[in-house]
Amino acid sequence: MPLSIPCRHNPILQKVVERVNRDQELEQFWRCVNINAVDRSNISDHGEVHVRIVANIALRLLRLLNEAGIEMSVVKNYACTVEDAEVIVVLAACLHDLGMAIHRQGHEETGLALAYLKAKELLSDFYDIPTRTIMVSEILHAVLAHRWDVPCLTLEAGIVKVADALDMTK
């Protein structure tokens, strides 16, 4: 099932979503996540369905906040664009539970290594190295900070945390 995101006038987001949809490794990670979550731990879906829901909620929240005049952290701190912030929240949503392919406990920290490699790969060719480094750092912060007791240092991380919580049944 492909990730369907309203990319609007964000060509980089469109290309990143296309890459996500073609990525066989990422698709298999999501399957592994669900084996550990659903089959082995008896908790709710944390794979591709959850990713789709969280990514769409996160993008909607970001756009609502932007329309209300709230400045995104990467815009304020790095002079990136709102479109870059959209890429950050969508990729963070796609990667936030990858650590569950390894284990549920501590998956936020465990997933950082997997998310780092995958974020770099998915963003290659779209940004110069300094900007890609910022983007990957922001994505990794959102992955780590989606844990309930880790403070969000960016608005983008807070958006992902709220979007993730809105899809949880417990």
Side-chain angles (χ1 to χ4, degrees), residues 53-73:
I53 292 167
V54 174
N56 276 285
I57 291 171
L59 187 57
R60 181 71 179 132
L61 289 172
L62 183 149
R63 288 177 174 166
L64 287 170
L65 290 167
N66 184 59
E67 289 167 12
I70 308 297
E71 187 175 38
M72 296 298 119
S73 297

Side-chain angles (χ1 to χ4, degrees), residues 150-169:
V150 174
C152 295
L153 302 179
T154 67
L155 184 56
E156 294 83 356
I159 289 168
V160 173
K161 183 181 275 195
V162 169
D164 182 44
L166 288 173
D167 188 42
M168 293 290 99
T169 57

Side-chain angles (χ1 to χ4, degrees), residues 135-151:
M135 300 289 288
V136 170
S137 296
E138 297 294 299
I139 290 164
L140 294 177
H141 171 64
V143 168
L144 180 63
H146 91 275
R147 183 175 152 151
W148 71 273
D149 62 344
V150 174

Side-chain angles (χ1 to χ4, degrees), residues 1-104:
M1 235 187 307
L3 181 65
S4 179
I5 299 289
C7 295
R8 289 189 184 167
H9 304 292
N10 189 338
I12 293 178
L13 180 60
Q14 178 65 47
K15 290 174 186 173
V16 168
V17 169
E18 289 169 4
R19 280 191 179 175
V20 166
N21 285 334
R22 290 190 312 266
D23 194 312
Q24 293 179 348
E25 182 182 44
L26 190 54
E27 182 180 351
Q28 188 57 53
F29 271 130
W30 291 334
R31 287 186 185 129
C32 294
V33 164
N34 262 353
I35 293 293
N36 280 339
V38 177
D39 299 341
R40 295 177 179 164
S41 302
N42 296 312
I43 60 176
S44 61
D45 181 290
H46 280 68
E48 65 179 300
V49 171
H50 175 63
V51 164
R52 264 191 233 94
I53 292 167
V54 174
N56 276 285
I57 291 171
L59 187 57
R60 181 71 179 132
L61 289 172
L62 183 149
R63 288 177 174 166
L64 287 170
L65 290 167
N66 184 59
E67 289 167 12
I70 308 297
E71 187 175 38
M72 296 298 119
S73 297
V74 293
V75 174
K76 179 180 180 180
N77 299 134
Y78 293 108
C80 290
T81 66
V82 172
E83 290 76 18
D84 296 330
E86 291 181 352
V87 171
I88 289 166
V89 299
V90 169
L91 272 184
C94 289
L95 304 174
H96 78 280
D97 280 334
L98 284 189
M100 286 183 65
I102 300 165
H103 200 287
R104 167 80 173 139

